[in-house]
Amino acid sequence: MVFLRKVLEERWLLYIGLAALAIGLPLSRSLVSIAPGILIGAWFFDGLYRQDFTSKWQLFIKDKRAWSISLIFLVYLLWGFLAENDSQAVKLILDKLPLLFIPLTLSGLPLKRQKDMHTLLYLHIAALVLSTCLSTISWIQSPQMGEIRDHVLFVNHIRLSLMIVLAVVLVWAMPRLLSNRIVKVILTVWFLVFVYYFQLATGFVLLCVWSVIWALYAIRQKGIMRMAGFLVLALLMVGAGMTWKIMESQFSKPQVGTLKEFTQGGKRYYHDRDNLQTENGHYVWHHICKDELIPAWNERSEMDIPDHADLGDLKVGRLIRYMTSKGLPKDAEGVRQLTDEDIAAIEQGSTSVVEPHSSGILARLEAICYEVDAYRYGGDPSWSSVTVKLEYWKAGVHILKENPWLGTGVGDVRDEFHAYFADQDRLAQEAWDKTHNQYLTWWLTFGIPMGTVVLILFLAPITWARGIGNTSLVFCYLIFLMSFLTEDTMENQLGLNLFLLYFVLLGKAESTSS
């Protein structure tokens, strides 16, 4: 009984629940799933122990930030009655329960000290470091298995990159969180290296935007901060120049020369004169003779390509792209000019002779440029994370035009998207999904009027934040708002709970004492 009284008196359940959330987000979905249950249990048992449910409810009503977020759950609940897919509506509403439980819990069980908030953030950052380290070890042990992003363990790589950006921002925006600048620099460099080499494009873009904001602030200071600000701006300008060069090399089209009609062996070439897709400055769909290409390749490689394979075959496409990057005709003579190193590179999945010389985010940028270029000329958008989102957004706008006032209702958004894709026949069924844009998702679900109200409810807490948590909370909000452009962050368990963790910890910062 003494131990139980101690647990209730010190509110250990509250800290256990928050610690489960902080550690689980980068490392364990199971911990994230049980954390809201622990927190509402902490609120309930604390109310029983202290007999203060009435005061807890009053604290919740007075906490404008808490009920502003919780009202979003009420909107989901009400719009669930409009859904035709009842089972999906119930599932989504249950997934949104943390919007109600976590603000309710923390309004009635505030953190006692600022150092408690810091300790929980330390746990989260430490778990994030461990997650990135284990992912790096996985990649080092088997670098040839899939894309490098496939080695991101435990969580989706987009969610992980969002956590990394938030961690980097916090260690610099909250001076008392990590006072040792050497530790700050080491953490920042490690996270930057991880984001770069694991090709986390979303996180990299968010970090660049944050770096611009930080650099503009730093150059207004004195001494080493001012120098650091100018250095960061210089590095960003160099990066922007490299990005422009890569984009220019992909999208600027060389002059089309004379197209040969026959190969040296006397067979006719295939030319798609309307498709101006390029690889390393050469046209991909010019000078192709499949009748010579496949037999000549099979003579030199152990990776056989069936004789009946068409130009849309994955292996054929890889071979054509690689030979194009070397400026070779796609025929028997072109295959003979490939070196043994070229053959090995193609067998291992390379699509360009310049690919081995590119790494990290630059390699990802080159791939994105190629995918967008292919999409411009009718390429299949299904297997590109960039072009497939263009199709999602196009579908979302079409569905919104048909349901502008009340939306589709909770639970029916995915069904509407699948119906649209089935009619359009543009995406492979395996690639069917929904919006990947949080703003559009809210408007589609609730209609434009109520979707806008939900956005206002989401933003309201930053207008009421005061004190030491204010700047950090605003910065974190900005990062989430930017992530909403390319992801429906609040529609999945990790994204929703990640927001609530930072909302709770930073939103409570001004009410705690050191």
Side-chain angles (χ1 to χ4, degrees), residues 54-113:
T54 301
S55 63
K56 279 180 168 46
W57 180 253
Q58 290 174 346
L59 286 171
F60 174 67
I61 297 300
K62 291 178 181 178
D63 191 340
K64 294 182 289 185
R65 295 164 302 177
W67 59 252
S68 176
I69 296 300
S70 294
L71 280 176
I72 298 176
F73 171 79
L74 180 61
V75 177
Y76 274 96
L77 183 62
L78 292 175
W79 255 252
F81 291 104
L82 299 178
E84 296 181 4
N85 189 335
D86 295 334
S87 61
Q88 184 67 14
V90 170
K91 178 183 180 301
L92 288 176
I93 291 170
L94 291 176
D95 288 345
K96 298 299 181 294
L97 276 173
L99 285 170
L100 175 64
F101 287 163
I102 294 181
L104 174 66
T105 300
L106 271 298
S107 63
L109 301 176
L111 299 177
K112 293 181 178 180
R113 300 170 298 274

Side-chain angles (χ1 to χ4, degrees), residues 369-381:
C369 287
Y370 179 86
E371 292 162 0
V372 172
D373 196 33
Y375 178 69
R376 292 169 63 200
Y377 295 104
D380 187 351

Side-chain angles (χ1 to χ4, degrees), residues 330-341:
K330 280 71 75 174
D331 58 14
E333 178 59 27
V335 173
R336 282 192 286 270
Q337 294 183 50
L338 293 173
T339 66
D340 292 340
E341 290 76 14

Side-chain angles (χ1 to χ4, degrees), residues 388-405 407-408 413 416-417 420-421 424 433-445 447-448 485:
V388 76
K389 286 178 182 177
L390 298 177
E391 292 296 316
Y392 295 156
W393 298 339
K394 186 189 301 182
V397 171
H398 173 83
I399 296 168
L400 182 61
K401 288 179 179 178
E402 295 185 344
N403 306 272
W405 301 113
T408 65
V413 173
E416 292 287 343
F417 271 82
Y420 174 87
F421 293 137
Q424 295 296 311
D433 204 349
K434 51 192 182 65
T435 320
H436 283 257
N437 180 296
Q438 187 63 58
Y439 305 106
L440 195 52
T441 295
W442 277 336
W443 288 328
L444 283 170
T445 304
I448 294 175
L485 293 171

Side-chain angles (χ1 to χ4, degrees), residues 175-208:
R176 298 178 67 179
L177 178 62
L178 277 177
S179 57
N180 191 315
R181 286 191 175 181
I182 295 177
V183 176
K184 288 186 179 186
V185 171
I186 291 173
L187 273 176
T188 302
V189 169
W190 166 247
F191 285 141
L192 285 173
V193 169
F194 184 86
V195 167
Y196 179 88
Y197 279 103
F198 272 74
Q199 303 180 7
L200 306 183
T202 300
F204 189 80
V205 171
L206 291 176
L207 281 174
C208 286

Side-chain angles (χ1 to χ4, degrees), residues 211-212 214-238:
S211 297
V212 171
W214 181 87
L216 292 175
Y217 163 79
I219 60 177
R220 299 174 64 183
Q221 309 305 309
K222 297 180 180 180
I224 192 169
M225 280 286 287
R226 185 181 180 87
M227 294 174 59
F230 280 116
L231 177 61
V232 169
L233 283 179
L235 290 174
L236 288 170
M237 290 178 67
V238 171

